[in-house]
Amino acid sequence: MSEFDLIRKHLTGIGARRDDVVVDLGDDCAVLRVPHGRELAVSIDTLVAGVHFLPDCDAESLGWKSLAVGLSDLAATGAEPAWATLALTLPAADEAWLAAFCRGFAELAAAQDVRLVGGDLTRGPLTISVQVHGFVPAGHALRRAGARPGDLVCVSGALGDAGLALRHLQRGEPLDDYLRRRLERPVPRVELGELLRGLASAAIDLSDGLVADLGHILAASGCAAWVELDRLPLADQVAGVVAGQAAGGADWGLPLASGDDYELCFTLPPEHAAELSVLAAAARCPITRIGEVVPGSGLRLLTSDGHPWAGTVAGYDHFHG
Amino acid sequence: MSEFDLIRKHLTGIGARRDDVVVDLGDDCAVLRVPHGRELAVSIDTLVAGVHFLPDCDAESLGWKSLAVGLSDLAATGAEPAWATLALTLPAADEAWLAAFCRGFAELAAAQDVRLVGGDLTRGPLTISVQVHGFVPAGHALRRAGARPGDLVCVSGALGDAGLALRHLQRGEPLDDYLRRRLERPVPRVELGELLRGLASAAIDLSDGLVADLGHILAASGCAAWVELDRLPLADQVAGVVAGQAAGGADWGLPLASGDDYELCFTLPPEHAAELSVLAAAARCPITRIGEVVPGSGLRLLTSDGHPWAGTVAGYDHFHG
């Protein structure tokens, strides 16, 4: 099968049917309609074998995750997902692999009302670039900048699950269903992102770990924050690992810096504090208040007695990690 | 330097300033405004080291070409370029290489009024994915489908230059400036594409070679065509190679199938035939009528005496080329 045949067979018709797709996948360009009064939010991300996922990773899960990573960026912007494009570089024309990858991608696309409108297939080392496109009401995109002293620092879901799952896989240890799902099938917090428009003062998605990503909010907003470690929302499995290291001081690396969480971190003006539980119910995900924005710069990690935490962690860095 | 620092230093502020960029590169998503009455045209393409370019290729030229490839798709759709996103996978954080790549990208971006609004930098085998975004008046995008029997088949510029340049490089032979520019700094036919809206019945850009790409127009349009080989527009260098093979029958591989031309191939209803010279002057590029659309299916290549050409060529295929 040629490149064109593979595209036609596997990449065509993926995801939801949408009236705003004028020219679908298969022409030189897709042609698309952005609704009047909406702005277009776009984000492109690449996953590389051996860097972002294990080379023997299940293809179907990888298809799901490739789209989830982008949708998580749309969520952090408060955007409603609409379209995706996929540039897939494969070592060989492995149809079974491609079919499985597309199944996973299509499953999440259909669930989030996303259409795959563009696809490029090339030969080379396994690399996946996905661009997502969504809509926000004009002037209402959530940004990293905007946090103000006094705002609450909040996160959705739980932190460190994917990092722990990866650690188990790398050590050849068994993986329970919860951790596997959190690593391989993250569910982007799209509903929460849309609900946060007009409420949150700043938002980001947690792809590189809380320390790095909250750091981006603080740098963009020109503020500092404190976060209390004991408030971090942890699944039992992660809490066990954190506590298990108590001899040498608790190991907070997983929830603070292991990355791949795809939860949202956001800052909320204190007048909206009372709405947190309603927000969590409406978005159908846990939301935890973990700290507060203060004047200054940088992130201070506090122990439960309010003292500065003595440990250190580093955010994941693709070039130096 | 971390991934974030590299993005901030090298990818920020590339290309034209544009009023329609609400949130520029550096947040979770870029946020963009599509003008009322316009549709959005998008295309994503990947270039892989060793497949689409030689691994020792000049970084600045590669930056230019990475964007040119996408703009050529916009041209084939008749779209006016607006924004680009870049997902760059690099083996190492080589700042000199990155700076040169960005210079080449920025030069073409500025020339075409394009803003780089999104960037992702990852570690891995050298792979470049670029998505381009442009505008077309609603309902007026050029497509591959639409050719009708009786339409003229036309191409812009000259064919086979990039293929010949690559052949010279692969053989370690010297390269003249014209051929080098045609391989490394193709100029996408954006002006021509915009002028073709409302005139051409179908269009495609020549990235995989005339036989493959015109084949896509014919398949999408449900038509056949004949093309007369002696009408193909050839630079002297390519014409020399074609003629030089005369002993075993002329070698038409370069203009028919070597790819990387980034010219436009389009079909024109015969009532617009008289406008071809005006069109060429307005678009500031040669346009040559090379054949005609006829009923049926497939492409027939004819010699100057009107007989079927006895040779064969294959379009470039990334998985089997």
Side-chain angles (χ1 to χ4, degrees), chain B residues 105-137:
Chain B
F105 194 102
E107 193 186 339
L108 181 58
Q112 295 283 353
D113 203 24
V114 167
R115 180 70 167 187
L116 182 70
V117 296
D120 187 39
L121 207 55
T122 50
R123 184 171 52 82
L126 181 54
T127 311
I128 306 153
S129 289
V130 172
Q131 176 157 325
V132 292
H133 313 68
F135 308 140
V136 277

PDB file of all heavy atoms in Angstrom, chain B residues 105-137:
ATOM      1  N   PHE B 105      13.323  30.015   8.428  1.00  0.00           N
ATOM      2  CA  PHE B 105      11.867  29.967   8.607  1.00  0.00           C
ATOM      3  C   PHE B 105      11.309  31.390   8.668  1.00  0.00           C
ATOM      4  O   PHE B 105      10.314  31.725   8.015  1.00  0.00           O
ATOM      5  CB  PHE B 105      11.556  29.210   9.895  1.00  0.00           C
ATOM      6  CG  PHE B 105      10.117  28.790  10.060  1.00  0.00           C
ATOM      7  CD1 PHE B 105       9.731  27.486   9.813  1.00  0.00           C
ATOM      8  CD2 PHE B 105       9.160  29.695  10.482  1.00  0.00           C
ATOM      9  CE1 PHE B 105       8.404  27.084   9.985  1.00  0.00           C
ATOM     10  CE2 PHE B 105       7.836  29.316  10.646  1.00  0.00           C
ATOM     11  CZ  PHE B 105       7.453  27.999  10.397  1.00  0.00           C
ATOM     12  N   ALA B 106      11.986  32.228   9.457  1.00  0.00           N
ATOM     13  CA  ALA B 106      11.505  33.599   9.682  1.00  0.00           C
ATOM     14  C   ALA B 106      11.568  34.432   8.406  1.00  0.00           C
ATOM     15  O   ALA B 106      10.702  35.287   8.170  1.00  0.00           O
ATOM     16  CB  ALA B 106      12.331  34.265  10.784  1.00  0.00           C
ATOM     17  N   GLU B 107      12.576  34.166   7.584  1.00  0.00           N
ATOM     18  CA  GLU B 107      12.721  34.959   6.354  1.00  0.00           C
ATOM     19  C   GLU B 107      11.504  34.754   5.446  1.00  0.00           C
ATOM     20  O   GLU B 107      10.906  35.715   4.952  1.00  0.00           O
ATOM     21  CB  GLU B 107      14.014  34.554   5.639  1.00  0.00           C
ATOM     22  CG  GLU B 107      14.420  35.521   4.548  1.00  0.00           C
ATOM     23  CD  GLU B 107      15.628  35.036   3.735  1.00  0.00           C
ATOM     24  OE1 GLU B 107      16.379  34.169   4.255  1.00  0.00           O
ATOM     25  OE2 GLU B 107      15.794  35.496   2.603  1.00  0.00           O
ATOM     26  N   LEU B 108      11.130  33.495   5.250  1.00  0.00           N
ATOM     27  CA  LEU B 108       9.963  33.228   4.404  1.00  0.00           C
ATOM     28  C   LEU B 108       8.670  33.673   5.100  1.00  0.00           C
ATOM     29  O   LEU B 108       7.759  34.199   4.460  1.00  0.00           O
ATOM     30  CB  LEU B 108       9.889  31.739   4.037  1.00  0.00           C
ATOM     31  CG  LEU B 108       8.723  31.340   3.138  1.00  0.00           C
ATOM     32  CD1 LEU B 108       8.744  32.119   1.820  1.00  0.00           C
ATOM     33  CD2 LEU B 108       8.741  29.835   2.839  1.00  0.00           C
ATOM     34  N   ALA B 109       8.592  33.471   6.404  1.00  0.00           N
ATOM     35  CA  ALA B 109       7.390  33.880   7.144  1.00  0.00           C
ATOM     36  C   ALA B 109       7.153  35.381   6.987  1.00  0.00           C
ATOM     37  O   ALA B 109       6.037  35.820   6.696  1.00  0.00           O
ATOM     38  CB  ALA B 109       7.525  33.515   8.623  1.00  0.00           C
ATOM     39  N   ALA B 110       8.199  36.156   7.162  1.00  0.00           N
ATOM     40  CA  ALA B 110       8.050  37.606   7.038  1.00  0.00           C
ATOM     41  C   ALA B 110       7.646  37.982   5.615  1.00  0.00           C
ATOM     42  O   ALA B 110       6.772  38.833   5.404  1.00  0.00           O
ATOM     43  CB  ALA B 110       9.359  38.294   7.438  1.00  0.00           C
ATOM     44  N   ALA B 111       8.261  37.327   4.639  1.00  0.00           N
ATOM     45  CA  ALA B 111       7.967  37.639   3.238  1.00  0.00           C
ATOM     46  C   ALA B 111       6.514  37.326   2.886  1.00  0.00           C
ATOM     47  O   ALA B 111       5.924  37.970   2.013  1.00  0.00           O
ATOM     48  CB  ALA B 111       8.910  36.867   2.320  1.00  0.00           C
ATOM     49  N   GLN B 112       5.936  36.346   3.556  1.00  0.00           N
ATOM     50  CA  GLN B 112       4.566  35.922   3.216  1.00  0.00           C
ATOM     51  C   GLN B 112       3.552  36.388   4.256  1.00  0.00           C
ATOM     52  O   GLN B 112       2.409  35.917   4.265  1.00  0.00           O
ATOM     53  CB  GLN B 112       4.513  34.394   3.084  1.00  0.00           C
ATOM     54  CG  GLN B 112       5.341  33.846   1.923  1.00  0.00           C
ATOM     55  CD  GLN B 112       4.656  34.027   0.566  1.00  0.00           C
ATOM     56  OE1 GLN B 112       3.500  34.453   0.495  1.00  0.00           O
ATOM     57  NE2 GLN B 112       5.372  33.720  -0.498  1.00  0.00           N
ATOM     58  N   ASP B 113       3.957  37.278   5.153  1.00  0.00           N
ATOM     59  CA  ASP B 113       3.062  37.836   6.160  1.00  0.00           C
ATOM     60  C   ASP B 113       2.482  36.759   7.087  1.00  0.00           C
ATOM     61  O   ASP B 113       1.311  36.799   7.454  1.00  0.00           O
ATOM     62  CB  ASP B 113       1.938  38.626   5.478  1.00  0.00           C
ATOM     63  CG  ASP B 113       1.326  39.660   6.411  1.00  0.00           C
ATOM     64  OD1 ASP B 113       2.008  40.082   7.364  1.00  0.00           O
ATOM     65  OD2 ASP B 113       0.148  40.028   6.205  1.00  0.00           O
ATOM     66  N   VAL B 114       3.332  35.804   7.436  1.00  0.00           N
ATOM     67  CA  VAL B 114       2.917  34.689   8.289  1.00  0.00           C
ATOM     68  C   VAL B 114       3.520  34.860   9.682  1.00  0.00           C
ATOM     69  O   VAL B 114       4.679  35.241   9.825  1.00  0.00           O
ATOM     70  CB  VAL B 114       3.409  33.347   7.687  1.00  0.00           C
ATOM     71  CG1 VAL B 114       3.278  32.208   8.682  1.00  0.00           C
ATOM     72  CG2 VAL B 114       2.654  33.039   6.406  1.00  0.00           C
ATOM     73  N   ARG B 115       2.737  34.569  10.717  1.00  0.00           N
ATOM     74  CA  ARG B 115       3.232  34.581  12.087  1.00  0.00           C
ATOM     75  C   ARG B 115       3.365  33.158  12.613  1.00  0.00           C
ATOM     76  O   ARG B 115       2.448  32.343  12.431  1.00  0.00           O
ATOM     77  CB  ARG B 115       2.246  35.344  12.979  1.00  0.00           C
ATOM     78  CG  ARG B 115       2.663  35.435  14.446  1.00  0.00           C
ATOM     79  CD  ARG B 115       3.845  36.346  14.621  1.00  0.00           C
ATOM     80  NE  ARG B 115       4.093  36.711  16.006  1.00  0.00           N
ATOM     81  CZ  ARG B 115       5.004  37.618  16.361  1.00  0.00           C
ATOM     82  NH1 ARG B 115       5.746  38.236  15.428  1.00  0.00           N
ATOM     83  NH2 ARG B 115       5.202  37.915  17.616  1.00  0.00           N
ATOM     84  N   LEU B 116       4.485  32.868  13.262  1.00  0.00           N
ATOM     85  CA  LEU B 116       4.628  31.585  13.957  1.00  0.00           C
ATOM     86  C   LEU B 116       3.938  31.715  15.311  1.00  0.00           C
ATOM     87  O   LEU B 116       4.418  32.428  16.193  1.00  0.00           O
ATOM     88  CB  LEU B 116       6.102  31.221  14.146  1.00  0.00           C
ATOM     89  CG  LEU B 116       6.325  29.859  14.823  1.00  0.00           C
ATOM     90  CD1 LEU B 116       5.935  28.715  13.905  1.00  0.00           C
ATOM     91  CD2 LEU B 116       7.777  29.701  15.270  1.00  0.00           C
ATOM     92  N   VAL B 117       2.821  31.036  15.486  1.00  0.00           N
ATOM     93  CA  VAL B 117       2.010  31.221  16.692  1.00  0.00           C
ATOM     94  C   VAL B 117       2.100  30.052  17.664  1.00  0.00           C
ATOM     95  O   VAL B 117       1.583  30.139  18.778  1.00  0.00           O
ATOM     96  CB  VAL B 117       0.521  31.466  16.340  1.00  0.00           C
ATOM     97  CG1 VAL B 117       0.355  32.763  15.561  1.00  0.00           C
ATOM     98  CG2 VAL B 117      -0.054  30.285  15.562  1.00  0.00           C
ATOM     99  N   GLY B 118       2.735  28.961  17.247  1.00  0.00           N
ATOM    100  CA  GLY B 118       2.844  27.818  18.143  1.00  0.00           C
ATOM    101  C   GLY B 118       4.118  27.056  17.872  1.00  0.00           C
ATOM    102  O   GLY B 118       4.515  26.902  16.716  1.00  0.00           O
ATOM    103  N   GLY B 119       4.765  26.605  18.945  1.00  0.00           N
ATOM    104  CA  GLY B 119       5.996  25.853  18.751  1.00  0.00           C
ATOM    105  C   GLY B 119       6.149  24.789  19.817  1.00  0.00           C
ATOM    106  O   GLY B 119       5.835  25.013  20.983  1.00  0.00           O
ATOM    107  N   ASP B 120       6.602  23.631  19.398  1.00  0.00           N
ATOM    108  CA  ASP B 120       6.910  22.556  20.339  1.00  0.00           C
ATOM    109  C   ASP B 120       8.298  22.050  19.996  1.00  0.00           C
ATOM    110  O   ASP B 120       8.635  21.882  18.821  1.00  0.00           O
ATOM    111  CB  ASP B 120       5.880  21.431  20.202  1.00  0.00           C
ATOM    112  CG  ASP B 120       6.062  20.368  21.274  1.00  0.00           C
ATOM    113  OD1 ASP B 120       6.361  20.733  22.424  1.00  0.00           O
ATOM    114  OD2 ASP B 120       5.913  19.178  20.971  1.00  0.00           O
ATOM    115  N   LEU B 121       9.104  21.844  21.018  1.00  0.00           N
ATOM    116  CA  LEU B 121      10.484  21.425  20.824  1.00  0.00           C
ATOM    117  C   LEU B 121      10.669  20.146  21.619  1.00  0.00           C
ATOM    118  O   LEU B 121      10.445  20.139  22.828  1.00  0.00           O
ATOM    119  CB  LEU B 121      11.390  22.535  21.363  1.00  0.00           C
ATOM    120  CG  LEU B 121      12.781  22.713  20.781  1.00  0.00           C
ATOM    121  CD1 LEU B 121      12.727  22.891  19.270  1.00  0.00           C
ATOM    122  CD2 LEU B 121      13.419  23.953  21.408  1.00  0.00           C
ATOM    123  N   THR B 122      11.064  19.062  20.945  1.00  0.00           N
ATOM    124  CA  THR B 122      11.259  17.797  21.647  1.00  0.00           C
ATOM    125  C   THR B 122      12.583  17.189  21.218  1.00  0.00           C
ATOM    126  O   THR B 122      13.149  17.553  20.190  1.00  0.00           O
ATOM    127  CB  THR B 122      10.126  16.805  21.336  1.00  0.00           C
ATOM    128  OG1 THR B 122       9.964  16.736  19.914  1.00  0.00           O
ATOM    129  CG2 THR B 122       8.821  17.240  21.945  1.00  0.00           C
ATOM    130  N   ARG B 123      13.056  16.267  22.034  1.00  0.00           N
ATOM    131  CA  ARG B 123      14.307  15.588  21.741  1.00  0.00           C
ATOM    132  C   ARG B 123      14.027  14.276  21.035  1.00  0.00           C
ATOM    133  O   ARG B 123      13.124  13.533  21.434  1.00  0.00           O
ATOM    134  CB  ARG B 123      15.074  15.323  23.047  1.00  0.00           C
ATOM    135  CG  ARG B 123      16.447  14.689  22.854  1.00  0.00           C
ATOM    136  CD  ARG B 123      17.229  14.672  24.151  1.00  0.00           C
ATOM    137  NE  ARG B 123      16.479  14.083  25.247  1.00  0.00           N
ATOM    138  CZ  ARG B 123      16.370  12.768  25.465  1.00  0.00           C
ATOM    139  NH1 ARG B 123      16.949  11.918  24.672  1.00  0.00           N
ATOM    140  NH2 ARG B 123      15.673  12.329  26.505  1.00  0.00           N
ATOM    141  N   GLY B 124      14.777  13.998  19.974  1.00  0.00           N
ATOM    142  CA  GLY B 124      14.578  12.768  19.226  1.00  0.00           C
ATOM    143  C   GLY B 124      15.201  12.913  17.854  1.00  0.00           C
ATOM    144  O   GLY B 124      15.884  13.891  17.580  1.00  0.00           O
ATOM    145  N   PRO B 125      14.954  11.930  16.976  1.00  0.00           N
ATOM    146  CA  PRO B 125      15.520  12.005  15.625  1.00  0.00           C
ATOM    147  C   PRO B 125      14.966  13.233  14.891  1.00  0.00           C
ATOM    148  O   PRO B 125      13.787  13.554  15.026  1.00  0.00           O
ATOM    149  CB  PRO B 125      15.011  10.718  14.972  1.00  0.00           C
ATOM    150  CG  PRO B 125      14.562   9.837  16.089  1.00  0.00           C
ATOM    151  CD  PRO B 125      14.145  10.731  17.203  1.00  0.00           C
ATOM    152  N   LEU B 126      15.818  13.907  14.118  1.00  0.00           N
ATOM    153  CA  LEU B 126      15.449  15.172  13.475  1.00  0.00           C
ATOM    154  C   LEU B 126      14.197  15.029  12.599  1.00  0.00           C
ATOM    155  O   LEU B 126      14.220  14.349  11.575  1.00  0.00           O
ATOM    156  CB  LEU B 126      16.626  15.675  12.633  1.00  0.00           C
ATOM    157  CG  LEU B 126      16.422  16.999  11.896  1.00  0.00           C
ATOM    158  CD1 LEU B 126      15.989  18.097  12.855  1.00  0.00           C
ATOM    159  CD2 LEU B 126      17.696  17.417  11.171  1.00  0.00           C
ATOM    160  N   THR B 127      13.125  15.657  13.029  1.00  0.00           N
ATOM    161  CA  THR B 127      11.828  15.592  12.357  1.00  0.00           C
ATOM    162  C   THR B 127      11.171  16.952  12.511  1.00  0.00           C
ATOM    163  O   THR B 127      11.202  17.542  13.590  1.00  0.00           O
ATOM    164  CB  THR B 127      10.925  14.533  13.026  1.00  0.00           C
ATOM    165  OG1 THR B 127      11.664  13.314  13.170  1.00  0.00           O
ATOM    166  CG2 THR B 127       9.678  14.273  12.208  1.00  0.00           C
ATOM    167  N   ILE B 128      10.576  17.444  11.434  1.00  0.00           N
ATOM    168  CA  ILE B 128       9.998  18.781  11.443  1.00  0.00           C
ATOM    169  C   ILE B 128       8.568  18.701  10.950  1.00  0.00           C
ATOM    170  O   ILE B 128       8.335  18.336   9.798  1.00  0.00           O
ATOM    171  CB  ILE B 128      10.788  19.711  10.499  1.00  0.00           C
ATOM    172  CG1 ILE B 128      12.277  19.693  10.852  1.00  0.00           C
ATOM    173  CG2 ILE B 128      10.216  21.120  10.524  1.00  0.00           C
ATOM    174  CD1 ILE B 128      13.174  20.010   9.663  1.00  0.00           C
ATOM    175  N   SER B 129       7.609  19.042  11.815  1.00  0.00           N
ATOM    176  CA  SER B 129       6.225  19.134  11.367  1.00  0.00           C
ATOM    177  C   SER B 129       5.796  20.592  11.420  1.00  0.00           C
ATOM    178  O   SER B 129       5.998  21.263  12.429  1.00  0.00           O
ATOM    179  CB  SER B 129       5.291  18.313  12.265  1.00  0.00           C
ATOM    180  OG  SER B 129       5.503  16.936  12.058  1.00  0.00           O
ATOM    181  N   VAL B 130       5.226  21.054  10.327  1.00  0.00           N
ATOM    182  CA  VAL B 130       4.731  22.431  10.265  1.00  0.00           C
ATOM    183  C   VAL B 130       3.272  22.399   9.851  1.00  0.00           C
ATOM    184  O   VAL B 130       2.903  21.679   8.918  1.00  0.00           O
ATOM    185  CB  VAL B 130       5.541  23.274   9.251  1.00  0.00           C
ATOM    186  CG1 VAL B 130       4.895  24.640   9.043  1.00  0.00           C
ATOM    187  CG2 VAL B 130       6.981  23.435   9.727  1.00  0.00           C
ATOM    188  N   GLN B 131       2.447  23.124  10.578  1.00  0.00           N
ATOM    189  CA  GLN B 131       1.075  23.330  10.111  1.00  0.00           C
ATOM    190  C   GLN B 131       0.926  24.786   9.687  1.00  0.00           C
ATOM    191  O   GLN B 131       1.375  25.694  10.386  1.00  0.00           O
ATOM    192  CB  GLN B 131       0.032  22.978  11.177  1.00  0.00           C
ATOM    193  CG  GLN B 131      -1.385  23.309  10.675  1.00  0.00           C
ATOM    194  CD  GLN B 131      -2.488  22.534  11.360  1.00  0.00           C
ATOM    195  OE1 GLN B 131      -2.321  21.377  11.716  1.00  0.00           O
ATOM    196  NE2 GLN B 131      -3.634  23.168  11.539  1.00  0.00           N
ATOM    197  N   VAL B 132       0.310  24.973   8.534  1.00  0.00           N
ATOM    198  CA  VAL B 132       0.029  26.322   8.046  1.00  0.00           C
ATOM    199  C   VAL B 132      -1.471  26.568   8.095  1.00  0.00           C
ATOM    200  O   VAL B 132      -2.280  25.627   8.038  1.00  0.00           O
ATOM    201  CB  VAL B 132       0.537  26.512   6.608  1.00  0.00           C
ATOM    202  CG1 VAL B 132       2.060  26.498   6.572  1.00  0.00           C
ATOM    203  CG2 VAL B 132      -0.046  25.462   5.686  1.00  0.00           C
ATOM    204  N   HIS B 133      -1.823  27.837   8.230  1.00  0.00           N
ATOM    205  CA  HIS B 133      -3.216  28.263   8.338  1.00  0.00           C
ATOM    206  C   HIS B 133      -3.402  29.470   7.430  1.00  0.00           C
ATOM    207  O   HIS B 133      -2.579  30.391   7.461  1.00  0.00           O
ATOM    208  CB  HIS B 133      -3.562  28.696   9.763  1.00  0.00           C
ATOM    209  CG  HIS B 133      -3.102  27.759  10.833  1.00  0.00           C
ATOM    210  ND1 HIS B 133      -1.765  27.554  11.130  1.00  0.00           N
ATOM    211  CD2 HIS B 133      -3.796  26.968  11.682  1.00  0.00           C
ATOM    212  CE1 HIS B 133      -1.675  26.678  12.118  1.00  0.00           C
ATOM    213  NE2 HIS B 133      -2.881  26.298  12.480  1.00  0.00           N
ATOM    214  N   GLY B 134      -4.467  29.478   6.630  1.00  0.00           N
ATOM    215  CA  GLY B 134      -4.725  30.620   5.762  1.00  0.00           C
ATOM    216  C   GLY B 134      -6.218  30.833   5.604  1.00  0.00           C
ATOM    217  O   GLY B 134      -7.027  30.055   6.127  1.00  0.00           O
ATOM    218  N   PHE B 135      -6.570  31.885   4.894  1.00  0.00           N
ATOM    219  CA  PHE B 135      -7.984  32.251   4.725  1.00  0.00           C
ATOM    220  C   PHE B 135      -8.406  32.126   3.263  1.00  0.00           C
ATOM    221  O   PHE B 135      -7.652  32.495   2.370  1.00  0.00           O
ATOM    222  CB  PHE B 135      -8.213  33.710   5.134  1.00  0.00           C
ATOM    223  CG  PHE B 135      -7.689  34.061   6.496  1.00  0.00           C
ATOM    224  CD1 PHE B 135      -7.066  35.291   6.702  1.00  0.00           C
ATOM    225  CD2 PHE B 135      -7.817  33.194   7.563  1.00  0.00           C
ATOM    226  CE1 PHE B 135      -6.584  35.643   7.957  1.00  0.00           C
ATOM    227  CE2 PHE B 135      -7.338  33.529   8.831  1.00  0.00           C
ATOM    228  CZ  PHE B 135      -6.718  34.768   9.016  1.00  0.00           C
ATOM    229  N   VAL B 136      -9.614  31.654   3.065  1.00  0.00           N
ATOM    230  CA  VAL B 136     -10.248  31.735   1.738  1.00  0.00           C
ATOM    231  C   VAL B 136     -11.640  32.320   1.901  1.00  0.00           C
ATOM    232  O   VAL B 136     -12.321  32.040   2.891  1.00  0.00           O
ATOM    233  CB  VAL B 136     -10.396  30.359   1.046  1.00  0.00           C
ATOM    234  CG1 VAL B 136      -9.114  29.950   0.353  1.00  0.00           C
ATOM    235  CG2 VAL B 136     -10.840  29.289   2.015  1.00  0.00           C
ATOM    236  N   PRO B 137     -12.075  33.136   0.919  1.00  0.00           N
ATOM    237  CA  PRO B 137     -13.460  33.602   0.961  1.00  0.00           C
ATOM    238  C   PRO B 137     -14.387  32.389   1.027  1.00  0.00           C
ATOM    239  O   PRO B 137     -14.146  31.403   0.322  1.00  0.00           O
ATOM    240  CB  PRO B 137     -13.623  34.358  -0.366  1.00  0.00           C
ATOM    241  CG  PRO B 137     -12.229  34.704  -0.787  1.00  0.00           C
ATOM    242  CD  PRO B 137     -11.360  33.600  -0.274  1.00  0.00           C
TER     243      PRO B 137
END
